[in-house]
Each structure stands twice: as structure tokens, then as C-alpha cells.
Amino acid sequence: MTVDASSVPDKFQGFASDKRENWEHPKLISYDRKQLNDHDVVLKNETCGLCYSDIHTLRSTWGPYGTNELVVGHEICGTVIAVGPKVTEFKVGDRAGIGAASSSCRHCSRCTHDNEQYCKEQVSTYNSVDPKAAGYVTKGGYSSHSIADELFVFKVPDDLPFEYASPLFCAGITTFSPLYRNLVGSIKTPLFASKALNAKVVAFSRSSSKKEEALELGAAEFVATNEDKNWTSRYEDQFDLILNCASGIDGLNLSDYLSVLKVDKKFVSVGLPPIDDEFNVSPFTFLKQGASFGSSLLGSKAEVNIMLELAAKHNIRPWIEKVPISEENVAKALKRCFEGDVRYRFVFTEFDKAFGN
């Protein structure tokens, strides 16, 4: 490391679940950190958003626990306390963030062409075996510190508070990347599209319960698909891009959404349901529209940097509820999020009080 190694504790603290039956009751533990590599950046964590991915992982709906000390969280902001000898972008004291990936091979065509998030050797920020750290199972941001390769660490602008930056490192970039790559769109989460990309936004939901909030966030129009039985005919041939952000597919009729695309346009899904859920669609639906169905995974470092610059420039702030991190509050937030009782992101704060660092 380029600084005194004593600045990096040998053990970190975090809120961990030991098995899925205890998914909503993580306990405060101390654990051995992973080894530090040449390109690694170490953060002292200050905020972390609660993503529904955390709940899928804790409940094992995407796969089994890789460890009995599962610490989740991948919307991390903090201050750099150490950097490896080959790190060029960061120095001690920098404001930085980490998203849902923490490492990759660095040399494949994907890594060298701004698609490092798709690297075949990509390591997730938590519950993922890190081959560069002797098979260590990674730990997430409900913790005192985090470590990631600098390729997956991002500078946070000085005028973007950590609590608003945190959700951008998963929820934000996951929606921004397909918008940026496709340039135009009609999406469910409208802040970036309406404020920064000048797109007309139509928000879709099954009911009208989120209508006023969607309009306040920047949507020009709102469609409650379970209440408006004629929405497909009214919006026929209207959309250049439909971005699906739902974390489940229950009640989502893919054929209906494909039917309102313009010719040769895309439906891109970024929300991930339980691993056994599947879309059902007829090939004839694609044929009639010349439509494409795709997905998008996170975003590249280049895209994250553009997103952060736009967020700072246009004063884009996610709607959040700040939650001082503790065993009790993590449990409450996980339960409320699972029940849909959040508008629209929990962000854990006050890490210094929880971890005493």
C-alpha cells in the first residue's frame, strides 16, 4: 500500500446474516477483511443504500449464501483511507463510492472497452468469490469499511452529498446506462431522462398509487396498466424505449409492452426477479414490431462518471429516507422494504456511531 498499512484494520465490522431463515435480522460482527491488492482502494464507509438486491440475496431467491457471515449492501459512499501502489485515480481523503461490482480481470476486451461490468471474471461487491483474494467471499457496505479495485470505485463530486450519491451506484446507474446507450426513452424512474436527457417520460405502474409521485419526479404522463384497459391502443406505436425496473414479473404482460413500441425499438429489463421467474412471450409479438428484448447490467465506469457529473450539474437528488445504521434499524428497514413501505430508497447513515471508527 502507498500509505501506512496500520490505517487499514485487519478486521472490519458489519451487520451479517448467518442463514436465510435469519435474513431480516443481521447481527453486528467483526470479520477478517480480504487481502489488499495493487489496484485496490479502501473506503471508510459513511453511507449505504438499501437495494432490493440485498433482500433477494439475504432470502436466497437468487442463489445460496456463500458464507455464514453474509454482509450485503452495494450503494456505498465513504472516504478513501488507503490505496494500492498501482492506483492512479485516488488518494487518501478523496470522496468515493462503490457499486454492485468490486473487481474484474482488467485485460479482456470488455474491460478495455468500457464494458468492465460484463467481464466474465467480474466479482460482485458481496456474496461473491474473489479469485484475486484467495477465494475470499466478498462483504458489502452494511459495514465499517469496503475494498474494491479502482476500476469499480468512483469519485463523488464535492457538491453531491453522500446520502444522495449512494443510491446512484446501483439504482441510478442501472437505469442511467441503458438510457445513455439508447439516447431516448420512456421509463419508470424519470429523473435522469426528464432533467438531464430531455426525453419525454411516461411512467407505468399496475395501480395509480404512485401517480402523483411519478409526475412530481418528472414524468409527463402516467399509466396504471391494471386500471386502464385501453392503454395499449392509446399508446400504439409511441415508444422508442421501454425500461423495465420492476423487481418482479408478477402481473407484467410483456406482449402488451412490446406492442406499444415503435418499429425496431427496444424493451430493456433491468429489474431482477427471483431466479426461477420467467417472461412468457410469443415470437409473433416481436415479429409485428420488429422489436428487441434486452437487459442491462449496472454501467461502466465511464457512464458512472457522466451520471455523477449530470446529477451534480442538474441537482438530481433521489428521494430517500435516512436511517441511522444499527441492528434494530437494519432489521426494520429490510422488513419495510420487503413490504413495499419505502419511498423510494432507504440510505443507512451515522456509520461512525455504529462502528466507532
Side-chain angles (χ1 to χ4, degrees):
M1 302 298 286
T2 60
V3 297
D4 187 345
S6 64
S7 64
V8 184
D10 291 330
K11 287 184 175 291
F12 294 167
Q13 292 179 287
F15 295 98
S17 294
D18 60 348
K19 53 187 176 181
R20 65 180 182 178
E21 289 79 8
N22 297 327
W23 74 270
E24 61 181 311
H25 296 289
K27 301 299 181 184
L28 179 62
I29 66 165
S30 294
Y31 57 89
D32 294 331
R33 61 163 170 82
K34 83 173 192 72
Q35 70 183 56
L36 303 173
N37 296 317
D38 287 350
H39 291 281
D40 281 344
V41 176
V42 185
L43 300 190
K44 177 182 175 183
N45 297 338
E46 298 188 38
T47 62
C48 185
L50 193 168
C51 176
Y52 207 88
S53 301
D54 302 344
I55 293 175
H56 277 307
T57 303
L58 288 166
R59 299 184 73 242
S60 296
T61 57
W62 286 351
Y65 282 32
T67 173
N68 61 0
E69 295 180 338
L70 175 56
V71 179
V72 297
H74 57 206
E75 295 181 342
I76 304 162
C77 282
T79 302
V80 176
I81 64 167
V83 296
K86 294 185 179 179
V87 170
T88 60
E89 297 181 47
F90 296 91
K91 64 182 185 303
V92 173
D94 282 349
R95 306 172 79 244
I98 299 170
S102 62
S103 180
S104 68
C105 79
R106 295 188 130 257
H107 54 73
C108 70
S109 61
R110 298 182 180 194
C111 285
T112 57
H113 289 80
D114 290 330
N115 281 310
E116 66 276 359
Q117 72 273 30
Y118 294 103
C119 175
K120 298 291 183 67
E121 297 179 27
Q122 183 248 82
V123 176
S124 296
T125 298
Y126 60 72
N127 202 42
S128 185
V129 175
D130 187 346
K132 294 181 179 179
Y136 183 91
V137 178
T138 54
K139 305 288 197 294
Y142 297 8
S143 61
S144 59
H145 301 77
S146 292
I147 303 171
D149 186 297
E150 71 171 324
L151 190 58
F152 296 91
V153 182
F154 316 102
K155 286 190 176 180
V156 178
D158 290 339
D159 51 355
L160 184 60
F162 280 160
E163 60 265 31
Y164 293 111
S166 269
L168 300 181
F169 292 118
C170 182
I173 189 56
T174 298
T175 54
F176 179 80
S177 177
L179 284 172
Y180 186 75
R181 293 187 183 209
N182 291 281
L183 297 180
V184 293
S186 304
I187 65 168
K188 183 179 174 181
T189 51
L191 276 174
F192 276 113
S194 60
K195 281 193 173 185
L197 300 181
N198 296 316
K200 178 184 176 182
V201 174
V202 177
F204 293 94
S205 189
R206 285 173 293 182
S207 73
S208 301
S209 63
K210 299 175 183 176
K211 179 177 180 179
E212 295 305 317
E213 292 158 324
L215 296 175
E216 188 175 348
L217 281 165
E221 299 175 20
F222 183 92
V223 179
T225 57
N226 284 354
E227 299 170 12
D228 182 353
K229 302 304 180 184
N230 298 315
W231 74 269
T232 54
S233 59
R234 287 193 299 107
Y235 283 97
E236 183 178 4
D237 214 27
Q238 292 293 308
F239 296 106
D240 298 287
L241 173 72
I242 295 178
L243 186 61
N244 172 41
C245 305
S247 61
I249 63 172
D250 188 33
L252 192 154
N253 187 325
L254 181 56
S255 293
D256 282 348
Y257 286 98
L258 293 177
S259 74
V260 297
L261 286 169
K262 295 178 182 178
V263 173
D264 200 28
K265 300 303 180 181
K266 295 181 181 179
F267 178 102
V268 178
S269 188
V270 297
L272 284 178
I275 198 167
D276 293 331
D277 286 3
E278 296 179 348
F279 282 114
N280 292 308
V281 64
S282 166
F284 284 93
T285 306
F286 289 97
L287 183 68
K288 291 178 181 179
Q289 313 300 126
S292 299
F293 175 87
S295 60
S296 180
L297 177 65
L298 307 177
S300 69
K301 181 159 190 165
E303 290 165 341
V304 173
N305 289 336
I306 293 168
M307 174 193 67
L308 292 172
E309 181 181 349
L310 287 171
K313 178 180 178 180
H314 294 277
N315 195 34
I316 294 173
R317 300 289 188 266
W319 287 10
I320 65 170
E321 180 178 335
K322 292 187 285 187
V323 179
I325 195 165
S326 67
E327 282 187 2
E328 180 182 5
N329 286 344
V330 169
K332 287 180 179 178
L334 288 170
K335 186 173 187 295
R336 283 182 57 192
C337 186
F338 178 67
E339 294 173 349
D341 180 23
V342 55
R343 292 293 186 270
Y344 279 92
R345 211 65 163 182
F346 289 125
V347 178
F348 294 117
T349 60
E350 299 187 16
F351 280 53
D352 54 338
K353 295 180 180 178
F355 303 120
N357 54 17

